[in-house]
Structures are given as structure tokens and as C-alpha cells.
Amino acid sequence: MRNQIVAGNWKMNNNTPETELLLNNLIKYKIRNGVSVYIAPAFTQLYQSVIKLKGKDIKVAAQNVNAEVSGAHTGEVSCSMIKGVGVSTVILGHSERRSLYSESNNFLKEKVITAIESGMEIIFCFGEELSERKENKHFDLVKNQLTKALFHLPNDTWNQIILAYEPVWAIGTGETASPEQAQEMHAFVRQQIEYKYDASLANSVSILYGGSVKPSNAKEIFSMADVDGGLIGGASLNAEEFIAIVNAF
Ligand code: 13P
């Protein structure tokens, strides 16, 4: 059985007191057995979160990392810096980084290589814009994103990869993909992995859905055969809502 995962991407929200408050609220709840739960705060809140969540069933992830190991990259953060504060998972390929910070598939490939070589786990995001779906280009687009950024990886590194399908038109809009649309894309992705690698690898990779997941729609989305959990934005900023999503399996 594949790992069931719910990850909260806090984006550029929660300063130190706000993080303290949200973490205090989160740790009041019991996490459902068998579900791996992550939160991804800003870099400046990683250490605070790691300390606060020590011994709890919630892991901490970073939202980004630089492709270089060290050096003259003012304002950037390396894998070893992230690992040094006790974090070994990173989100890469988020649509906001692709669109707002021009991160291309080839650029992401470099980040993926560095993160894998550093022994990090990657939550790799991909997904199409509304215009691409309307033109029926979404499968080709996703295939291209995965091929360029991930399909160079050797078979034995895929245990460090979690995939997250986030159709851009569903992020922060209140409009989710229907469970059928999510299932259709997740099955397509699994099939591409099988073509490139093999069926056993394809069946072992967890694929999360992200885009306006709420307590009210999580159960239906998570019930789809190839959906193994969610990457949650807005609803992860509220402990009660986030835990309700975690418990929606
Ligand atoms: P929302 O849940 O706010 O739509 O955000 C999804 C997302 O971008 C998670 O990475």
C-alpha cells in the first residue's frame, strides 16, 4: 500500500508568534494512524517548528532550496542549511515559483539533482494552467514537466520522491478539480512512470492532489484510486481545518 500523505504548504504566512499559535493548536489533535503529515513553514520558521514538533507525528518541510551546494548566492538557502536545522524534505516545482520566479523545468532538474544527492525527500509539484486545459494540452504539459525535471532520476532514488498534482487554476481559487479530473491525471502520471520505469515503481509513488482542498471536499478526492493525499495551502493555516483534512481518509 502506498503512503497516505497530507502536507500543509504555509507559503509566505506565519511569523514567529503566529507559528507558535498554529503549532500549539495543531499538536492538540491526534493524528490519524497511517497518515504522514507535513507542514512547510517559511525558512525563518523551520527551526522553531522542528523544536516544537519534536516527538510529534508532524514532519517539517522547506518550501524551496537552491540548486547549488554553497557559494555566492545572496539570499539563497542550501540543502545542508535546511538539513542542519533538522529538515530533510523540500517542496520543489510549485506553480508560484514557476510563474512568479521563472523556475523552468531545466532549472528544477538541477534543484532535484542537488536535493536527491543531499539525501533529501522532495515533494515535487506539477500541473497545468487553465488555458492549457482548455486547449486540451494538460496531459502533454504534465508529461513534459515530469520528463524534464524527474525522469532523468535513477530508479533507486524514487523512494525520495512524492508527487503533487496541482492544477494552477485550482490553487487559491476555491475551484477544485473534480475527483474524476484528479483521478484521470494521477492515473496518467502513474502510467508515464510505468512506461519510463516499471509498474512496481509506478505503484509505489505517492501522488498528492493540491488546489482548494477543504474539509468539505477532501474525503471525496482522497477516495480516488490514484490519489494518495493532498498538498494543502489556505486550509493548512487553520489547525482545525487542516486536521479535518488529515482525518478525511
Ligand atoms: P490552496 O489549497 O490554497 O488552493 O493552495 C494549494 C497549494 O498551492 C498548495 O501548495
Side-chain angles (χ1 to χ4, degrees), residues 7-11 91 94-96 125 164 166-168 170-176 209-214 230-236 245:
N9 176 8
W10 288 6
K11 308 190 179 183
I91 297 173
H94 194 280
S95 68
E96 287 149 20
C125 308
E166 297 205 313
V168 181
I171 295 177
T173 59
E175 186 179 346
T176 28
Y209 168 79
S212 297
V213 178
K214 304 271 179 279
L231 181 56
I232 319 301
S236 72
I245 293 170

PDB file of all heavy atoms in Angstrom, residues 7-11 91 94-96 125 164 166-168 170-176 209-214 230-236 245, ligand 1:
ATOM      1  N   ALA A   7       0.148  17.258   3.341  1.00  0.00           N
ATOM      2  CA  ALA A   7       1.174  18.270   3.617  1.00  0.00           C
ATOM      3  C   ALA A   7       0.550  19.659   3.543  1.00  0.00           C
ATOM      4  O   ALA A   7      -0.233  19.944   2.636  1.00  0.00           O
ATOM      5  CB  ALA A   7       2.318  18.143   2.605  1.00  0.00           C
ATOM      6  N   GLY A   8       0.907  20.496   4.509  1.00  0.00           N
ATOM      7  CA  GLY A   8       0.405  21.870   4.533  1.00  0.00           C
ATOM      8  C   GLY A   8       1.488  22.815   4.056  1.00  0.00           C
ATOM      9  O   GLY A   8       2.554  22.903   4.674  1.00  0.00           O
ATOM     10  N   ASN A   9       1.224  23.492   2.950  1.00  0.00           N
ATOM     11  CA  ASN A   9       2.172  24.483   2.436  1.00  0.00           C
ATOM     12  C   ASN A   9       1.729  25.853   2.952  1.00  0.00           C
ATOM     13  O   ASN A   9       0.758  26.419   2.468  1.00  0.00           O
ATOM     14  CB  ASN A   9       2.152  24.433   0.899  1.00  0.00           C
ATOM     15  CG  ASN A   9       3.039  25.493   0.272  1.00  0.00           C
ATOM     16  OD1 ASN A   9       3.784  26.179   0.973  1.00  0.00           O
ATOM     17  ND2 ASN A   9       2.954  25.618  -1.042  1.00  0.00           N
ATOM     18  N   TRP A  10       2.467  26.356   3.921  1.00  0.00           N
ATOM     19  CA  TRP A  10       2.069  27.627   4.551  1.00  0.00           C
ATOM     20  C   TRP A  10       2.378  28.833   3.663  1.00  0.00           C
ATOM     21  O   TRP A  10       1.968  29.946   3.963  1.00  0.00           O
ATOM     22  CB  TRP A  10       2.788  27.797   5.887  1.00  0.00           C
ATOM     23  CG  TRP A  10       2.313  26.894   6.990  1.00  0.00           C
ATOM     24  CD1 TRP A  10       1.403  25.886   6.895  1.00  0.00           C
ATOM     25  CD2 TRP A  10       2.729  26.930   8.363  1.00  0.00           C
ATOM     26  NE1 TRP A  10       1.225  25.282   8.126  1.00  0.00           N
ATOM     27  CE2 TRP A  10       2.033  25.911   9.040  1.00  0.00           C
ATOM     28  CE3 TRP A  10       3.628  27.720   9.087  1.00  0.00           C
ATOM     29  CZ2 TRP A  10       2.202  25.663  10.410  1.00  0.00           C
ATOM     30  CZ3 TRP A  10       3.806  27.481  10.445  1.00  0.00           C
ATOM     31  CH2 TRP A  10       3.088  26.464  11.097  1.00  0.00           C
ATOM     32  N   LYS A  11       3.153  28.640   2.620  1.00  0.00           N
ATOM     33  CA  LYS A  11       3.557  29.740   1.732  1.00  0.00           C
ATOM     34  C   LYS A  11       4.179  30.883   2.560  1.00  0.00           C
ATOM     35  O   LYS A  11       4.807  30.605   3.586  1.00  0.00           O
ATOM     36  CB  LYS A  11       2.372  30.185   0.874  1.00  0.00           C
ATOM     37  CG  LYS A  11       1.727  28.981   0.149  1.00  0.00           C
ATOM     38  CD  LYS A  11       0.715  29.334  -0.886  1.00  0.00           C
ATOM     39  CE  LYS A  11       0.186  28.056  -1.533  1.00  0.00           C
ATOM     40  NZ  LYS A  11      -0.758  28.293  -2.623  1.00  0.00           N
ATOM     41  N   ILE A  91       9.737  21.116  -0.775  1.00  0.00           N
ATOM     42  CA  ILE A  91       8.788  21.260  -1.891  1.00  0.00           C
ATOM     43  C   ILE A  91       9.540  21.888  -3.067  1.00  0.00           C
ATOM     44  O   ILE A  91      10.199  22.913  -2.898  1.00  0.00           O
ATOM     45  CB  ILE A  91       7.602  22.177  -1.485  1.00  0.00           C
ATOM     46  CG1 ILE A  91       6.803  21.561  -0.333  1.00  0.00           C
ATOM     47  CG2 ILE A  91       6.690  22.440  -2.690  1.00  0.00           C
ATOM     48  CD1 ILE A  91       5.715  22.494   0.232  1.00  0.00           C
ATOM     49  N   HIS A  94       6.726  24.196  -7.259  1.00  0.00           N
ATOM     50  CA  HIS A  94       5.409  24.785  -7.023  1.00  0.00           C
ATOM     51  C   HIS A  94       5.089  25.799  -8.120  1.00  0.00           C
ATOM     52  O   HIS A  94       5.974  26.532  -8.575  1.00  0.00           O
ATOM     53  CB  HIS A  94       5.362  25.448  -5.643  1.00  0.00           C
ATOM     54  CG  HIS A  94       3.957  25.757  -5.233  1.00  0.00           C
ATOM     55  ND1 HIS A  94       3.283  26.866  -5.692  1.00  0.00           N
ATOM     56  CD2 HIS A  94       3.075  25.076  -4.461  1.00  0.00           C
ATOM     57  CE1 HIS A  94       2.048  26.850  -5.206  1.00  0.00           C
ATOM     58  NE2 HIS A  94       1.900  25.773  -4.454  1.00  0.00           N
ATOM     59  N   SER A  95       3.829  25.885  -8.514  1.00  0.00           N
ATOM     60  CA  SER A  95       3.453  26.761  -9.645  1.00  0.00           C
ATOM     61  C   SER A  95       3.762  28.224  -9.350  1.00  0.00           C
ATOM     62  O   SER A  95       4.042  29.002 -10.256  1.00  0.00           O
ATOM     63  CB  SER A  95       1.981  26.602  -9.979  1.00  0.00           C
ATOM     64  OG  SER A  95       1.193  27.104  -8.935  1.00  0.00           O
ATOM     65  N   GLU A  96       3.726  28.610  -8.045  1.00  0.00           N
ATOM     66  CA  GLU A  96       4.058  30.011  -7.735  1.00  0.00           C
ATOM     67  C   GLU A  96       5.536  30.289  -8.006  1.00  0.00           C
ATOM     68  O   GLU A  96       5.903  31.379  -8.443  1.00  0.00           O
ATOM     69  CB  GLU A  96       3.683  30.314  -6.278  1.00  0.00           C
ATOM     70  CG  GLU A  96       2.170  30.412  -6.118  1.00  0.00           C
ATOM     71  CD  GLU A  96       1.644  29.988  -4.761  1.00  0.00           C
ATOM     72  OE1 GLU A  96       2.408  29.959  -3.787  1.00  0.00           O
ATOM     73  OE2 GLU A  96       0.439  29.657  -4.696  1.00  0.00           O
ATOM     74  N   CYS A 125       5.975  19.354  -7.310  1.00  0.00           N
ATOM     75  CA  CYS A 125       4.682  19.834  -7.811  1.00  0.00           C
ATOM     76  C   CYS A 125       4.712  20.041  -9.319  1.00  0.00           C
ATOM     77  O   CYS A 125       5.732  20.460  -9.874  1.00  0.00           O
ATOM     78  CB  CYS A 125       4.333  21.179  -7.169  1.00  0.00           C
ATOM     79  SG  CYS A 125       4.413  21.190  -5.379  1.00  0.00           S
ATOM     80  N   ALA A 164       3.046  15.822  -6.456  1.00  0.00           N
ATOM     81  CA  ALA A 164       1.851  16.604  -6.110  1.00  0.00           C
ATOM     82  C   ALA A 164       1.299  17.277  -7.365  1.00  0.00           C
ATOM     83  O   ALA A 164       1.934  18.191  -7.912  1.00  0.00           O
ATOM     84  CB  ALA A 164       2.185  17.646  -5.044  1.00  0.00           C
ATOM     85  N   GLU A 166      -0.928  19.779  -8.948  1.00  0.00           N
ATOM     86  CA  GLU A 166      -1.643  20.995  -8.562  1.00  0.00           C
ATOM     87  C   GLU A 166      -2.031  21.775  -9.815  1.00  0.00           C
ATOM     88  O   GLU A 166      -1.217  22.558 -10.336  1.00  0.00           O
ATOM     89  CB  GLU A 166      -0.758  21.866  -7.672  1.00  0.00           C
ATOM     90  CG  GLU A 166      -0.389  21.214  -6.351  1.00  0.00           C
ATOM     91  CD  GLU A 166      -0.063  22.247  -5.275  1.00  0.00           C
ATOM     92  OE1 GLU A 166       0.702  23.198  -5.542  1.00  0.00           O
ATOM     93  OE2 GLU A 166      -0.587  22.118  -4.177  1.00  0.00           O
ATOM     94  N   PRO A 167      -3.242  21.548 -10.327  1.00  0.00           N
ATOM     95  CA  PRO A 167      -3.668  22.347 -11.476  1.00  0.00           C
ATOM     96  C   PRO A 167      -3.714  23.815 -11.068  1.00  0.00           C
ATOM     97  O   PRO A 167      -4.328  24.168 -10.055  1.00  0.00           O
ATOM     98  CB  PRO A 167      -5.062  21.799 -11.805  1.00  0.00           C
ATOM     99  CG  PRO A 167      -5.502  21.014 -10.614  1.00  0.00           C
ATOM    100  CD  PRO A 167      -4.283  20.633  -9.846  1.00  0.00           C
ATOM    101  N   VAL A 168      -3.031  24.672 -11.817  1.00  0.00           N
ATOM    102  CA  VAL A 168      -2.844  26.077 -11.404  1.00  0.00           C
ATOM    103  C   VAL A 168      -4.194  26.773 -11.218  1.00  0.00           C
ATOM    104  O   VAL A 168      -4.368  27.581 -10.304  1.00  0.00           O
ATOM    105  CB  VAL A 168      -1.964  26.821 -12.433  1.00  0.00           C
ATOM    106  CG1 VAL A 168      -1.737  28.268 -12.011  1.00  0.00           C
ATOM    107  CG2 VAL A 168      -0.613  26.117 -12.578  1.00  0.00           C
ATOM    108  N   ALA A 170      -6.761  25.738  -9.958  1.00  0.00           N
ATOM    109  CA  ALA A 170      -7.463  25.333  -8.733  1.00  0.00           C
ATOM    110  C   ALA A 170      -6.772  25.853  -7.474  1.00  0.00           C
ATOM    111  O   ALA A 170      -7.261  25.666  -6.366  1.00  0.00           O
ATOM    112  CB  ALA A 170      -7.567  23.813  -8.677  1.00  0.00           C
ATOM    113  N   ILE A 171      -5.620  26.531  -7.638  1.00  0.00           N
ATOM    114  CA  ILE A 171      -4.848  26.961  -6.467  1.00  0.00           C
ATOM    115  C   ILE A 171      -5.354  28.297  -5.949  1.00  0.00           C
ATOM    116  O   ILE A 171      -5.308  29.303  -6.663  1.00  0.00           O
ATOM    117  CB  ILE A 171      -3.343  27.044  -6.800  1.00  0.00           C
ATOM    118  CG1 ILE A 171      -2.809  25.645  -7.132  1.00  0.00           C
ATOM    119  CG2 ILE A 171      -2.566  27.650  -5.637  1.00  0.00           C
ATOM    120  CD1 ILE A 171      -1.350  25.631  -7.534  1.00  0.00           C
ATOM    121  N   GLY A 172      -5.862  28.276  -4.724  1.00  0.00           N
ATOM    122  CA  GLY A 172      -6.298  29.515  -4.075  1.00  0.00           C
ATOM    123  C   GLY A 172      -7.530  30.138  -4.707  1.00  0.00           C
ATOM    124  O   GLY A 172      -7.873  31.283  -4.424  1.00  0.00           O
ATOM    125  N   THR A 173      -8.207  29.406  -5.568  1.00  0.00           N
ATOM    126  CA  THR A 173      -9.345  29.966  -6.294  1.00  0.00           C
ATOM    127  C   THR A 173     -10.683  29.514  -5.734  1.00  0.00           C
ATOM    128  O   THR A 173     -11.724  30.049  -6.086  1.00  0.00           O
ATOM    129  CB  THR A 173      -9.309  29.515  -7.773  1.00  0.00           C
ATOM    130  OG1 THR A 173      -9.334  28.072  -7.805  1.00  0.00           O
ATOM    131  CG2 THR A 173      -8.059  30.008  -8.475  1.00  0.00           C
ATOM    132  N   GLY A 174     -10.635  28.495  -4.884  1.00  0.00           N
ATOM    133  CA  GLY A 174     -11.880  27.923  -4.385  1.00  0.00           C
ATOM    134  C   GLY A 174     -12.455  26.910  -5.364  1.00  0.00           C
ATOM    135  O   GLY A 174     -13.421  26.215  -5.065  1.00  0.00           O
ATOM    136  N   GLU A 175     -11.832  26.819  -6.539  1.00  0.00           N
ATOM    137  CA  GLU A 175     -12.321  25.857  -7.537  1.00  0.00           C
ATOM    138  C   GLU A 175     -11.408  24.631  -7.539  1.00  0.00           C
ATOM    139  O   GLU A 175     -10.240  24.727  -7.912  1.00  0.00           O
ATOM    140  CB  GLU A 175     -12.293  26.507  -8.930  1.00  0.00           C
ATOM    141  CG  GLU A 175     -12.916  25.632  -9.975  1.00  0.00           C
ATOM    142  CD  GLU A 175     -12.900  26.284 -11.355  1.00  0.00           C
ATOM    143  OE1 GLU A 175     -12.651  27.501 -11.423  1.00  0.00           O
ATOM    144  OE2 GLU A 175     -13.122  25.586 -12.322  1.00  0.00           O
ATOM    145  N   THR A 176     -11.928  23.488  -7.083  1.00  0.00           N
ATOM    146  CA  THR A 176     -11.098  22.273  -7.109  1.00  0.00           C
ATOM    147  C   THR A 176     -11.298  21.543  -8.418  1.00  0.00           C
ATOM    148  O   THR A 176     -12.344  21.654  -9.041  1.00  0.00           O
ATOM    149  CB  THR A 176     -11.541  21.214  -6.060  1.00  0.00           C
ATOM    150  OG1 THR A 176     -12.914  21.371  -5.825  1.00  0.00           O
ATOM    151  CG2 THR A 176     -10.718  21.233  -4.849  1.00  0.00           C
ATOM    152  N   TYR A 209      -2.887  15.397  -4.398  1.00  0.00           N
ATOM    153  CA  TYR A 209      -3.612  16.415  -5.172  1.00  0.00           C
ATOM    154  C   TYR A 209      -3.582  17.722  -4.385  1.00  0.00           C
ATOM    155  O   TYR A 209      -3.753  17.725  -3.152  1.00  0.00           O
ATOM    156  CB  TYR A 209      -5.077  15.989  -5.418  1.00  0.00           C
ATOM    157  CG  TYR A 209      -5.871  17.164  -5.937  1.00  0.00           C
ATOM    158  CD1 TYR A 209      -5.775  17.540  -7.269  1.00  0.00           C
ATOM    159  CD2 TYR A 209      -6.613  17.979  -5.062  1.00  0.00           C
ATOM    160  CE1 TYR A 209      -6.413  18.680  -7.730  1.00  0.00           C
ATOM    161  CE2 TYR A 209      -7.256  19.115  -5.517  1.00  0.00           C
ATOM    162  CZ  TYR A 209      -7.153  19.458  -6.854  1.00  0.00           C
ATOM    163  OH  TYR A 209      -7.767  20.593  -7.306  1.00  0.00           O
ATOM    164  N   GLY A 210      -3.394  18.837  -5.070  1.00  0.00           N
ATOM    165  CA  GLY A 210      -3.436  20.137  -4.398  1.00  0.00           C
ATOM    166  C   GLY A 210      -4.220  21.147  -5.207  1.00  0.00           C
ATOM    167  O   GLY A 210      -4.139  21.172  -6.449  1.00  0.00           O
ATOM    168  N   GLY A 211      -4.975  21.979  -4.531  1.00  0.00           N
ATOM    169  CA  GLY A 211      -5.764  23.026  -5.183  1.00  0.00           C
ATOM    170  C   GLY A 211      -7.138  23.118  -4.557  1.00  0.00           C
ATOM    171  O   GLY A 211      -8.016  22.323  -4.866  1.00  0.00           O
ATOM    172  N   SER A 212      -7.268  24.069  -3.611  1.00  0.00           N
ATOM    173  CA  SER A 212      -8.548  24.329  -2.936  1.00  0.00           C
ATOM    174  C   SER A 212      -9.123  23.095  -2.231  1.00  0.00           C
ATOM    175  O   SER A 212     -10.337  22.891  -2.216  1.00  0.00           O
ATOM    176  CB  SER A 212      -9.563  24.909  -3.924  1.00  0.00           C
ATOM    177  OG  SER A 212      -9.106  26.156  -4.419  1.00  0.00           O
ATOM    178  N   VAL A 213      -8.238  22.267  -1.658  1.00  0.00           N
ATOM    179  CA  VAL A 213      -8.735  21.154  -0.836  1.00  0.00           C
ATOM    180  C   VAL A 213      -9.227  21.716   0.491  1.00  0.00           C
ATOM    181  O   VAL A 213      -8.557  22.545   1.119  1.00  0.00           O
ATOM    182  CB  VAL A 213      -7.640  20.088  -0.589  1.00  0.00           C
ATOM    183  CG1 VAL A 213      -8.180  18.971   0.304  1.00  0.00           C
ATOM    184  CG2 VAL A 213      -7.131  19.513  -1.906  1.00  0.00           C
ATOM    185  N   LYS A 214     -10.414  21.286   0.898  1.00  0.00           N
ATOM    186  CA  LYS A 214     -11.060  21.757   2.126  1.00  0.00           C
ATOM    187  C   LYS A 214     -11.597  20.532   2.873  1.00  0.00           C
ATOM    188  O   LYS A 214     -11.730  19.467   2.265  1.00  0.00           O
ATOM    189  CB  LYS A 214     -12.261  22.649   1.780  1.00  0.00           C
ATOM    190  CG  LYS A 214     -11.940  23.837   0.888  1.00  0.00           C
ATOM    191  CD  LYS A 214     -11.552  25.056   1.712  1.00  0.00           C
ATOM    192  CE  LYS A 214     -11.206  26.253   0.861  1.00  0.00           C
ATOM    193  NZ  LYS A 214      -9.872  26.280   0.307  1.00  0.00           N
ATOM    194  N   GLY A 230      -3.034  14.924  -0.019  1.00  0.00           N
ATOM    195  CA  GLY A 230      -3.194  16.287  -0.508  1.00  0.00           C
ATOM    196  C   GLY A 230      -2.062  17.208  -0.110  1.00  0.00           C
ATOM    197  O   GLY A 230      -1.390  17.012   0.911  1.00  0.00           O
ATOM    198  N   LEU A 231      -1.848  18.216  -0.957  1.00  0.00           N
ATOM    199  CA  LEU A 231      -0.957  19.331  -0.620  1.00  0.00           C
ATOM    200  C   LEU A 231      -1.875  20.535  -0.433  1.00  0.00           C
ATOM    201  O   LEU A 231      -2.546  20.974  -1.376  1.00  0.00           O
ATOM    202  CB  LEU A 231       0.064  19.559  -1.735  1.00  0.00           C
ATOM    203  CG  LEU A 231       1.091  20.675  -1.511  1.00  0.00           C
ATOM    204  CD1 LEU A 231       1.869  20.467  -0.210  1.00  0.00           C
ATOM    205  CD2 LEU A 231       2.073  20.739  -2.683  1.00  0.00           C
ATOM    206  N   ILE A 232      -1.908  21.034   0.797  1.00  0.00           N
ATOM    207  CA  ILE A 232      -2.951  21.969   1.195  1.00  0.00           C
ATOM    208  C   ILE A 232      -2.354  23.354   1.402  1.00  0.00           C
ATOM    209  O   ILE A 232      -1.368  23.498   2.139  1.00  0.00           O
ATOM    210  CB  ILE A 232      -3.601  21.511   2.538  1.00  0.00           C
ATOM    211  CG1 ILE A 232      -3.811  19.982   2.588  1.00  0.00           C
ATOM    212  CG2 ILE A 232      -4.891  22.273   2.813  1.00  0.00           C
ATOM    213  CD1 ILE A 232      -4.681  19.410   1.510  1.00  0.00           C
ATOM    214  N   GLY A 233      -2.953  24.371   0.815  1.00  0.00           N
ATOM    215  CA  GLY A 233      -2.499  25.741   1.016  1.00  0.00           C
ATOM    216  C   GLY A 233      -3.326  26.418   2.097  1.00  0.00           C
ATOM    217  O   GLY A 233      -3.111  26.228   3.293  1.00  0.00           O
ATOM    218  N   GLY A 234      -4.297  27.213   1.666  1.00  0.00           N
ATOM    219  CA  GLY A 234      -5.088  28.030   2.575  1.00  0.00           C
ATOM    220  C   GLY A 234      -5.612  27.295   3.802  1.00  0.00           C
ATOM    221  O   GLY A 234      -5.489  27.786   4.942  1.00  0.00           O
ATOM    222  N   ALA A 235      -6.166  26.112   3.602  1.00  0.00           N
ATOM    223  CA  ALA A 235      -6.779  25.389   4.728  1.00  0.00           C
ATOM    224  C   ALA A 235      -5.742  24.858   5.719  1.00  0.00           C
ATOM    225  O   ALA A 235      -6.097  24.463   6.834  1.00  0.00           O
ATOM    226  CB  ALA A 235      -7.653  24.249   4.206  1.00  0.00           C
ATOM    227  N   SER A 236      -4.455  24.884   5.345  1.00  0.00           N
ATOM    228  CA  SER A 236      -3.441  24.395   6.301  1.00  0.00           C
ATOM    229  C   SER A 236      -3.072  25.474   7.318  1.00  0.00           C
ATOM    230  O   SER A 236      -2.330  25.220   8.262  1.00  0.00           O
ATOM    231  CB  SER A 236      -2.177  23.921   5.565  1.00  0.00           C
ATOM    232  OG  SER A 236      -1.444  25.016   5.050  1.00  0.00           O
ATOM    233  N   ILE A 245      -8.879  17.660   7.337  1.00  0.00           N
ATOM    234  CA  ILE A 245      -8.453  17.118   6.032  1.00  0.00           C
ATOM    235  C   ILE A 245      -7.604  15.862   6.240  1.00  0.00           C
ATOM    236  O   ILE A 245      -7.796  14.848   5.570  1.00  0.00           O
ATOM    237  CB  ILE A 245      -7.680  18.192   5.235  1.00  0.00           C
ATOM    238  CG1 ILE A 245      -8.643  19.328   4.840  1.00  0.00           C
ATOM    239  CG2 ILE A 245      -7.020  17.595   3.994  1.00  0.00           C
ATOM    240  CD1 ILE A 245      -7.977  20.569   4.251  1.00  0.00           C
TER     241      ILE A 245
HETATM  242  P1  13P B   1      -4.815  26.167  -1.847  1.00  0.00           P
HETATM  243  O1  13P B   1      -5.142  24.943  -1.014  1.00  0.00           O
HETATM  244  O2  13P B   1      -4.881  27.435  -1.072  1.00  0.00           O
HETATM  245  O3  13P B   1      -5.607  26.190  -3.121  1.00  0.00           O
HETATM  246  O4  13P B   1      -3.263  26.032  -2.280  1.00  0.00           O
HETATM  247  C1  13P B   1      -2.812  24.859  -2.823  1.00  0.00           C
HETATM  248  C2  13P B   1      -1.340  24.933  -2.922  1.00  0.00           C
HETATM  249  O5  13P B   1      -0.796  25.723  -3.670  1.00  0.00           O
HETATM  250  C3  13P B   1      -0.544  24.050  -2.054  1.00  0.00           C
HETATM  251  O6  13P B   1       0.777  24.024  -2.441  1.00  0.00           O
END
